[in-house]
Amino acid sequence: EMKDLLGQATVGLHTMREEHFGINVVEFMAAGVVPLAHQSGGPLMDIVTPVEGQRTGFLASDEVSYAAALKEIFELSIEERMLVSAAARTHVRSRFSQEAFEAAIADGLIATLRP
């Protein structure tokens, strides 16, 4: 059911301030939904960040900036939204996939244990 709902969505709205990570924002991005997240915590620092200069989503901090971001998102052409969506999916795969976590553990932890 979640996949079906995300498949119909244009925007994934996240409003929690200072969330330490924001797994729902990652889920939006993996599903190809344009995220609009609070400009704080994990979404600001780690998740909704550009990939090779390409926007991966939108950030806002109050009612006015959320409204402005929603307006901007809905005014994007389908091609422009697809560029954001593609960059977001690439970002999620490279940073938050199982393979990325395993590689980070292997590089950062296991490698230090080897003589």
Side-chain angles (χ1 to χ4, degrees):
E1 182 179 3
M2 181 65 77
K3 279 185 175 181
D4 291 337
L5 292 172
L6 288 174
Q8 298 171 36
T10 300
V11 177
L13 192 61
H14 173 274
T15 60
M16 184 174 174
R17 292 185 311 221
E18 300 301 335
E19 184 167 7
H20 67 283
F21 183 67
I23 190 66
N24 64 327
V25 179
V26 173
E27 290 170 344
F28 296 153
M29 295 166 80
V33 177
V34 175
L36 171 52
H38 194 271
Q39 189 172 357
S40 65
L44 171 65
M45 298 179 72
D46 298 315
I47 303 171
V48 185
T49 57
V51 171
E52 297 177 8
Q54 176 62 48
R55 170 177 248 159
T56 60
F58 293 76
L59 296 167
S61 59
D62 57 22
E63 296 88 347
V64 172
S65 59
Y66 271 97
L70 282 170
K71 181 178 186 298
E72 184 177 350
I73 292 165
F74 288 123
E75 288 178 345
L76 293 173
S77 68
I78 291 172
E79 293 80 17
E80 291 169 320
R81 274 202 317 266
M82 295 302 284
L83 286 174
V84 174
S85 177
R89 283 183 165 163
T90 298
H91 184 54
V92 166
R93 273 193 303 273
S94 69
R95 296 277 318 273
F96 305 113
S97 67
Q98 181 70 32
E99 295 80 13
F101 282 119
E102 289 173 4
I105 295 283
D107 292 345
L109 180 62
I110 296 171
T112 62
L113 299 175
R114 293 188 180 124

